[in-house]
Amino acid sequence: MGGYIALALAEKYPGKLAGLGLFHSTAYPDSEEKKNTRMKSMEFIRQYGSAPFIRQSTPNLFSELFKNKQPQIVEELTGRYASFQPGSLLAYYEAMLKRPDRTDV
């Protein structure tokens, strides 16, 4: 969420930044398709909890090549984040759903 937070900061305090770069982030809001995907994830978290969601979703953050070459790293990260509180994950998804278009920033 760093890019989204940086954009909000730039919008609120435009004179405080000389520039801003986004990596793996976007100034665009979610598409309707992405919003639907996030809502399905939220429902999954409500129904099954954080650990199953993290076990299902974290490996998708990596390429097949990386997962095959470094399975221990994927497993370590999955285990580390499985203890997230459901409320924290739900708040994250809610914030992402509501994030505005900041392309003008």
Side-chain angles (χ1 to χ4, degrees), residues 12-37:
K12 189 168 183 173
Y13 304 104
K16 299 282 186 183
L17 299 173
L20 176 66
L22 298 177
F23 296 89
H24 301 286
S25 192
T26 181
Y28 296 105
D30 279 351
S31 66
E32 288 306 312
E33 179 182 352
K34 187 65 177 176
K35 286 179 183 179
N36 287 333
T37 299

Side-chain angles (χ1 to χ4, degrees), residues 12-88:
K12 189 168 183 173
Y13 304 104
K16 299 282 186 183
L17 299 173
L20 176 66
L22 298 177
F23 296 89
H24 301 286
S25 192
T26 181
Y28 296 105
D30 279 351
S31 66
E32 288 306 312
E33 179 182 352
K34 187 65 177 176
K35 286 179 183 179
N36 287 333
T37 299
R38 290 192 197 283
M39 287 189 281
K40 287 178 185 175
S41 294
M42 292 171 75
E43 186 54 40
F44 185 94
I45 294 164
R46 285 185 191 103
Q47 187 170 357
Y48 300 106
S50 298
F53 176 76
I54 295 295
R55 280 195 298 274
Q56 172 208 335
S57 61
T58 300
N60 296 332
L61 300 173
F62 301 94
S63 70
E64 288 302 318
L65 178 64
F66 186 86
K67 288 189 281 191
N68 289 330
K69 285 189 172 188
Q70 303 290 336
Q72 72 282 2
I73 293 175
V74 176
E75 184 59 36
E76 176 189 333
L77 289 173
T78 300
R80 183 184 306 168
Y81 299 121
S83 63
F84 274 160
Q85 293 298 310
S88 297

